Amino acid sequence: MSRFTLTAAITSGTIVLSLILQLIIDRSFNLLHFYNTVFMVSLAILLIGLMLYVVKGGFFDVFTRSFKKFWRMLSKRSLYQSEVMDDSHFSLSQRIPAYVVTSFIASGLFLVIVTMIIAFFL
């Protein structure tokens, strides 16, 4: 999946989720409340993207490596496992693709800006 299609899917999913939330909460459709709901959901998407950006930057790699080392020291089973197989040094920042991070940030930022412009002109 390319970055553009993922961004489009997140954007359209955010709008559909906002519409469903609007219909569940108000049981009717009000355009102003819909824009407010889109704004709040897109802020959540933007925060998820920024959180993924921090994880992708490697901030938590040191913590996860330290916890793995600590649990290896406490467990006797790890002594036997280390003889059989090598330990993986796969860090947390390598598990998240960069295009996922940029897609979440781009989608959230786009919807926040659009809803702010719409709210300004209403």
Side-chain angles (χ1 to χ4, degrees), residues 41-51 104-109 112:
V41 173
S42 61
L43 273 180
I45 296 295
L46 182 62
L47 285 175
I48 290 170
L50 292 174
M51 186 174 54
F104 271 94
I105 292 174
S107 176
L109 196 60
V112 165

Side-chain angles (χ1 to χ4, degrees), residues 72 75-87:
R72 237 182 287 135
S75 174
K76 293 194 182 228
R77 189 177 79 181
S78 66
L79 293 173
Y80 303 119
Q81 277 183 337
S82 64
E83 293 175 1
V84 177
M85 65 177 75
D86 294 331
D87 289 334

Side-chain angles (χ1 to χ4, degrees), residues 51-65 91-94 96:
M51 186 174 54
L52 288 173
Y53 178 74
V54 169
V55 171
K56 179 69 179 161
F59 182 74
F60 295 107
D61 288 345
V62 176
F63 297 116
T64 56
R65 212 173 301 126
S91 62
L92 187 60
S93 63
Q94 294 174 346
I96 302 170

